[in-house]
Amino acid sequence: ALARVVKQQGDSAIDLLGFLGWMGRYWRKKNISAELKKRISQAVLGYSYLFETTNVSSQFRVDTQFTEESREFLTGVCEILAGQQFAQQEFGVSGKTGAWHQAHGEAAVVQWMTDRGKYGLRNWDSAGGIEASLAGLSHLVDLAQSVEVRELAATLMDKTFFLLGLNSFTGSLSACHSESDLGSLGSSRLSPVAGIQRLMWGMGTFNDHDMGVVSLACCKNYALPDIIRKVATHISGATWGRERVRSANPSAGTEAYKVIYKTADFFLSSLQDYGCGKPGEFEQVWQATMGADARVFTNHPRLLSANSGLLPNLWQGH
């Protein structure tokens, strides 16, 4: 993990977040060697926190764990925590002090959280996006020095958990979504949010996606409101839900209208009048769920390859 941070690989922000969480919580433990502390500190001070967007063709994207939206947020969270940890020291890439980086990161993250509070994630109902958001938010709730940042993070966690619970069926994220996760298309037991649901309200399955689960398990200053737990675990009767979300596909328009119908036996979800006759990317526009391993959907493959680095492919997109 430290090597990935030093090389600043595409998904290294989550590794860095782990080290910064370790610094904030356990740095004074006697069983951490001085040499390891030195190497981690050098990696934190040498990291580039000035996030830059990249224009990569959606058809041939690098197979990374996070969307650009997730990387932008996680990088900002790391900048805040690193700036707090080394407030008076100079950071190698920028030449600025930690105090400057803390203020810079707070401004960017507050704007990010405010926008997501108003409009939701650009990659709405994306399991990977939800996991990354909760990982970053839980670190802010526990470790950010700014009261505004901590309170915004806790509020956005409430909203994220509410929408996750509402759009799930017995621990399976079942709503149509902006970007499919290849590993969990066949079974929600493999979803990045399956373990989060198991941890927070007892439905779902622990799997090898541990970023969100471990982050939330270490978080001491957030308590899930009981009303959200009840929404997530309610399975009797029938529930209609309507939601307006930002479109993930510009060619389909600026907004998407999502409808769900949830009963004790099944969960239906679809986008209404969504980009009819226009090319699709990697949205899932409707889905029927009868259980974790019983999911029905349609797509129109553009490639025969099942490689998630190529989008759209055999399973993702249309």
Side-chain angles (χ1 to χ4, degrees), residues 72-296:
E72 176 187 6
F73 176 57
L74 291 174
T75 301
V77 174
C78 288
E79 184 174 22
I80 293 173
L81 300 182
Q84 292 177 174
Q85 191 72 30
F86 300 101
Q88 303 305 317
Q89 292 183 243
E90 183 178 297
F91 282 57
V93 174
S94 66
K96 305 288 187 179
T97 65
W100 182 92
H101 276 284
Q102 179 184 347
H104 181 267
E106 286 175 351
V109 166
V110 165
Q111 186 62 57
W112 191 98
M113 291 192 293
T114 301
D115 286 347
R116 274 57 185 187
K118 290 179 178 178
Y119 310 115
L121 292 171
R122 289 195 296 265
N123 290 85
W124 41 271
D125 292 334
S126 160
I130 294 171
E131 183 192 28
S133 298
L134 289 172
L137 291 168
S138 62
H139 279 77
L140 291 177
V141 166
D142 264 8
L143 302 173
Q145 293 175 351
S146 165
V147 175
E148 179 189 14
V149 170
R150 292 199 306 270
E151 290 183 347
L152 268 176
T155 301
L156 194 52
M157 286 180 74
D158 286 345
K159 178 175 181 176
T160 303
F161 280 126
F162 171 74
L163 292 175
L164 176 59
L166 185 67
N167 289 301
S168 295
F169 176 68
T170 61
S172 300
L173 181 59
S174 303
C176 50
H177 41 266
S178 60
E179 183 168 342
S180 299
D181 170 70
L182 186 62
S184 57
L185 275 174
S187 172
S188 64
R189 301 180 199 278
L190 305 178
S191 170
V193 296
I196 291 173
Q197 297 200 64
R198 178 65 177 271
L199 178 71
M200 301 306 292
W201 47 74
M203 292 180 169
T205 309
F206 291 123
N207 55 35
D208 62 349
H209 291 281
D210 55 9
M211 168 178 58
V213 172
V214 172
S215 296
L216 290 165
C218 291
C219 183
K220 295 182 178 180
N221 294 333
Y222 176 81
L224 182 72
D226 190 54
I227 186 64
I228 295 179
R229 184 178 291 106
K230 290 179 178 178
V231 168
T233 56
H234 179 76
I235 56 174
S236 63
T239 302
W240 276 101
R242 293 183 295 173
E243 184 182 351
R244 184 174 65 178
V245 295
R246 288 187 289 186
S247 174
N249 180 358
S251 69
T254 58
E255 294 180 332
Y257 296 87
K258 186 180 73 178
V259 175
I260 66 169
Y261 183 66
K262 183 160 131 177
T263 76
D265 302 304
F266 60 85
F267 186 111
L268 303 177
S269 176
S270 66
L271 297 179
Q272 305 295 290
D273 189 27
Y274 181 77
C276 295
K278 297 179 180 179
E281 290 188 344
F282 28 89
E283 313 93 333
Q284 188 136 299
V285 296
W286 80 270
Q287 181 172 304
T289 304
M290 281 68 72
D293 303 310
R295 299 144 67 85
V296 182

